[in-house]
Amino acid sequence: MAFLIRILVLALIIYLIYRFVSYLIDPRRKLDAAIKANTYYFYDDVRNPRKNFFIAYRGVLFEGEKYVGTEKSSTVMSIFAWTHESKKLTEFSKDDFLFLEQEIAKNYPQADINWKNPIEQLMKTGG
C-alpha cells in the first residue's frame, strides 16, 4: 500500500512539473505578456496556413488572416491584417506599420499584405 502511495505521489509531482513547464512555454501567455509590456511578439502556427496569426506591438494586438493560393498548395499568397483596438492607433506612424509588414514578410515572403481600415487610411495619409 505504501508503495502505491509513493507511485501516486511521484506521478502527481511529474504531472505538476509538466503543467508548470507547459504554462511557461505557452505562446499565448507570451503574447499576453508582450501586450502588457508594450513589446513586440509574433505568434503564429506556421504548420497550419489556415490559422490566423497575432502580433503584439506597442501594446496593441494585431491579427492577420492568411489565404493560401490553391486548395492543394500550402503557400500563403495573401494576408489581411487588422486590429480591434483602433483607438490606440493614434500613437502609430507609417514606419510602425512598415515594420510590421517587414516582420510579416519574413515569415511569408510571397504573400501580398493588405491592411483593413482604419490602418489602410493611416498608411495612405502617412500616419
Side-chain angles (χ1 to χ4, degrees):
M1 185 67 167
F3 181 71
L4 183 62
I5 292 174
R6 287 180 184 169
I7 290 177
L8 288 175
V9 169
L10 181 63
L12 178 65
I13 290 171
I14 291 172
Y15 175 73
L16 290 175
I17 290 172
Y18 166 76
R19 293 294 296 183
F20 180 71
V21 169
S22 64
Y23 170 76
L24 286 179
I25 63 172
D26 182 25
R28 191 68 188 186
R29 184 193 65 81
K30 291 179 182 179
L31 179 69
D32 293 337
I35 292 169
K36 290 178 185 174
N38 290 338
T39 59
Y40 171 79
Y41 184 74
F42 192 89
Y43 170 59
D44 186 21
D45 185 5
V46 293
R47 292 172 287 162
N48 187 354
R50 288 174 170 62
K51 194 172 184 181
N52 291 359
F53 63 83
F54 299 93
I55 300 174
Y57 184 63
R58 294 181 55 192
V60 178
L61 178 65
F62 294 91
E63 185 174 355
E65 189 171 7
K66 302 178 274 189
Y67 294 96
V68 293
T70 61
E71 294 273 335
K72 297 176 184 175
S73 173
S74 64
T75 304
V76 176
M77 299 305 289
S78 179
I79 294 174
F80 285 96
W82 69 91
T83 184
H84 298 285
E85 306 165 22
S86 56
K87 293 178 184 174
K88 293 183 179 180
L89 294 178
T90 57
E91 302 170 3
F92 280 72
S93 68
K94 186 174 182 177
D95 293 334
D96 292 325
F97 296 117
L98 291 175
F99 168 75
L100 291 174
E101 282 184 0
Q102 289 172 353
E103 293 298 315
I104 294 169
K106 285 180 185 177
N107 292 322
Y108 304 102
Q110 299 170 342
D112 181 32
I113 302 167
N114 299 304
W115 295 96
K116 292 186 180 179
N117 278 329
I119 300 170
E120 182 181 25
Q121 296 296 335
L122 290 171
M123 290 287 285
K124 287 180 182 177
T125 62

